[in-house]
Amino acid sequence: MRRVLLLSAYRADSHAYWADWLQREFEEFDWQVLELPGRHFAWRIRGNPLSWLDALPAEKPDLLLATSMVDLATLKGLQPQLADVPSLLYFHENQFAYPLSDDQVRSVEPAMVQIYAGLAADRLLFNSAFNRDSYLQGVASLLARMPDHVPGGIAQRLRKKSSVLPVGVDPIEPARDKDRRLVLWNHRWEYDKRPELFVEAMLQLADRGVDFRLALLGARGRNPVPALELLRRELPDRIVADGFPPKDEYRSIVSRAGIVVSTAAHEFQGLSILEAVSAGAMPVVPDALCYPEQFPERFRYESGDPDSLATYIERLLSPGNARAPDVQDWSAARVRERWRKALSSLAE
């Protein structure tokens, strides 16, 4: 049985979903998994080779599968037994296209980790073309700003070994009691998802007298979220779900939604949107990021514009509108064999 060493330096959200799915799905491999908790970002992306210094299995793997949070170049330098092991680097996101909060300072270090890791890997996989293209453009742009001694064609070298392979989505069966006027938010309540735009659009719709209900899902931190507090205060009678429920309850609520909304400032694949659309919800998403790859123009509003967002939602709430688009190409069933081929080709 071929041994695969899976390294995930930031177990959170799609990283965890992906790692667990691979282990469940491909039992023909002997999985050895090392993961670090999804917190302390700056330390994780620079410190993971040190965190794993004495933790690697003694037996040499046939394939090294690492997420792009892993400092693969340093890891191989500190672990000589891994130097010639075929390596696949998987990008859930890239640091060139990740927005900063008001409390963060842009540092070149996370981006450089992903350049070195890309050069050290035999193959790069991305969960969307947007992710791949923004990474390669970011590499070229960053290196063009360096003062001297930059080899030519780094982005081209990386492009030659890059391809797109999304995380497989487990579809959700549409509920029999589907509520076409139930508007779903199923994202983290954090700055990069821009919940304040969603709330502004919902308040506009209420002012216009539009009939709708709200399911407010997604993780929220310990501190109050001003946008969420405003929505609770202004539209309490419209909220039918509010929380971050266990998986089965979450999928049950999602299965009933008629519309799912994104206001994200960054999205590299958008698993939560794809899940909801698989259950028959119509997406209302920015005309940017990964979404043009996934959804027709009629579901994409002007990014960052709450007026445009409200107008699109109101239109989809009108009688006789289109059905949800087909997202089967992102289903686990559709991508399974592509993943098997990717893993097998390097692990032989």
Side-chain angles (χ1 to χ4, degrees), residues 13-62:
D13 301 328
S14 61
H15 301 240
Y17 184 105
W18 165 83
D20 294 345
W21 178 75
L22 287 175
Q23 294 169 73
R24 269 196 328 269
E25 192 62 41
F26 302 110
E27 295 181 345
E28 65 263 38
F29 297 105
D30 178 11
W31 292 97
Q32 299 168 308
V33 180
L34 291 177
E35 297 173 298
L36 295 170
R39 56 177 183 263
H40 310 311
F41 167 81
W43 164 234
R44 286 288 177 265
I45 198 165
R46 289 300 286 124
N48 55 82
L50 191 59
S51 297
W52 288 323
L53 186 64
D54 301 317
L56 268 67
E59 200 168 15
K60 185 176 179 178
D62 298 300

Side-chain angles (χ1 to χ4, degrees), residues 31-328:
W31 292 97
Q32 299 168 308
V33 180
L34 291 177
E35 297 173 298
L36 295 170
R39 56 177 183 263
H40 310 311
F41 167 81
W43 164 234
R44 286 288 177 265
I45 198 165
R46 289 300 286 124
N48 55 82
L50 191 59
S51 297
W52 288 323
L53 186 64
D54 301 317
L56 268 67
E59 200 168 15
K60 185 176 179 178
D62 298 300
L63 172 65
L64 181 57
L65 172 59
T67 69
S68 58
M69 284 282 290
V70 174
D71 187 350
L72 186 61
T74 299
L75 185 78
K76 286 195 169 191
L78 294 175
Q79 306 282 351
Q81 74 276 21
L82 297 179
D84 62 347
V85 174
S87 54
L88 193 160
L89 189 67
Y90 192 68
F91 284 77
H92 293 275
E93 72 287 300
N94 74 79
Q95 293 305 306
F96 298 98
Y98 210 103
L100 294 179
S101 72
D102 293 338
D103 300 325
Q104 293 174 310
V105 177
R106 177 72 67 186
S107 169
V108 73
E109 289 222 6
M112 291 303 299
V113 165
Q114 294 194 330
I115 293 176
Y116 292 140
L119 291 169
D122 294 292
R123 188 176 178 192
L124 315 182
L125 292 177
F126 296 82
N127 59 0
S128 67
F130 164 71
N131 193 358
R132 177 198 61 197
D133 295 345
S134 59
Y135 168 74
L136 294 171
Q137 292 162 7
V139 169
S141 177
L142 175 61
L143 296 182
R145 300 199 303 270
M146 297 300 104
D148 58 14
H149 293 284
V150 177
I154 295 296
Q156 288 78 6
R157 297 185 207 184
L158 295 168
R159 182 178 292 277
K160 288 179 181 178
K161 52 183 178 180
S162 296
S163 54
V164 174
L165 184 52
V167 175
V169 174
D170 289 327
I172 297 176
E173 185 72 22
R176 292 183 178 179
D177 58 341
K178 201 159 191 66
D179 182 353
R180 295 295 175 183
R181 309 197 75 80
L182 179 59
V183 179
L184 170 68
W185 167 279
N186 58 343
H187 316 280
R188 287 180 288 105
W189 290 83
E190 295 184 20
Y191 75 95
D192 57 310
K193 303 302 183 182
R194 296 193 289 194
E196 67 280 358
L197 295 180
F198 171 72
V199 172
E200 186 174 345
M202 295 301 101
L203 295 177
Q204 282 193 31
L205 289 176
D207 287 342
R208 296 178 194 177
V210 176
D211 177 29
F212 65 90
R213 286 162 289 283
L214 290 169
L216 308 177
L217 307 184
R220 62 280 315 257
R222 296 179 181 177
N223 298 323
V225 181
L228 180 57
E229 294 298 314
L230 177 60
L231 204 52
R232 288 167 172 167
R233 186 168 62 251
E234 296 295 326
L235 302 178
D237 295 339
R238 296 176 184 261
I239 299 172
V240 299
D242 182 0
F244 189 42
K247 181 178 178 180
D248 288 347
E249 183 182 350
Y250 168 85
R251 290 172 70 89
S252 176
I253 296 170
V254 170
S255 74
R256 298 198 300 272
I259 291 175
V260 61
V261 177
S262 169
T263 52
H266 96 274
E267 198 68 81
F268 295 98
Q269 183 178 345
L271 289 174
S272 61
I273 291 286
L274 290 169
E275 280 185 336
V277 177
S278 76
M282 290 184 288
V284 183
V285 297
D287 188 19
L289 311 171
C290 63
Y291 296 122
E293 301 171 48
Q294 300 169 342
F295 304 118
E297 186 176 358
R298 65 183 180 275
F299 297 110
R300 307 194 312 259
Y301 66 93
E302 185 178 347
S303 181
D305 183 355
D307 297 335
S308 176
L309 171 58
T311 297
Y312 269 67
I313 294 174
E314 185 173 12
R315 189 183 70 205
L316 291 180
L317 286 169
S318 301
N321 245 300
R323 293 184 178 181
D326 185 357
V327 291
Q328 290 186 65

